[in-house]
Amino acid sequence: MDVLTHVLVALHIIGIAALLGGFLAQLKAVGAGAARFTPAMLHGALTMLITGVALVGVHQAEGHTLNNIKLGVKLALLVVILGLVYVKRDEERVDKGSFAAVGGLTAANIFIATLWV
Ligand code: HEM
């Protein structure tokens, strides 16, 4: 199970790379009002959901104690991220507020994951 956990964490990090990378790569375009949610961002957000839920399952199967409040907060933020990216995935110009919300909430989830023990 240890290998499975590590593989899932690696995929979880690849998901962050796709989601946050897609955001950061377009910071310049945000200023010009030309940023959009790319397929990589949508697939990254979906990867976060699938690998996150799978990690919870593996940890529970091994009898580990999980911080359910922290995971609930991470899940809630990801639902907002995923909702925004999914609903606006075909818009060629996404408004700055929605774009900033996705980047900000993703960064917030990284700090929640790493700082909240
Ligand atoms: C944008 C959304 C998310 C981000 C940026 C994110 C970020 C991270 C990061 C950086 C880690 C590694 C640090 C650590 O071990 O705590 C991690 C681990 C983990 N994440 Fe996420 N996460 C997200 C969504 C989720 C969701 C929705 C769930 C499940 C409900 C989840 C469940 C987990 C679990 C269980 C671990 C622990 C892995 C382990 O140590 O074995 N994550 N996450």
Side-chain angles (χ1 to χ4, degrees):
M1 289 286 251
D2 263 7
V3 175
L4 179 59
T5 306
H6 294 146
V7 169
L8 287 171
V9 172
L11 293 173
H12 206 56
I13 289 168
I14 290 171
I16 302 175
L19 178 58
L20 193 64
F23 169 80
L24 293 174
Q26 293 184 86
L27 277 183
K28 219 172 171 183
V30 180
R36 63 172 299 165
F37 292 135
T38 58
M41 294 175 77
L42 177 60
H43 296 140
L46 278 169
T47 304
M48 301 310 300
L49 181 65
I50 293 163
T51 55
V53 170
L55 277 166
V56 171
V58 172
H59 279 296
Q60 273 180 350
E62 289 187 326
H64 298 162
T65 313
L66 293 169
N67 184 341
N68 289 325
I69 301 175
K70 166 181 160 175
L71 290 170
V73 171
K74 280 179 69 178
L75 182 60
L77 296 190
L78 182 61
V79 166
V80 176
I81 293 168
L82 197 50
L84 280 170
V85 177
Y86 185 77
V87 168
K88 293 174 183 269
R89 67 190 185 285
D90 288 330
E91 287 184 17
E92 291 192 2
R93 286 166 179 264
V94 174
D95 60 290
K96 287 181 189 174
S98 302
F99 207 74
V102 166
L105 292 175
T106 303
N109 253 358
I110 292 173
F111 285 108
I112 289 169
T114 52
L115 296 178
W116 188 345
V117 184

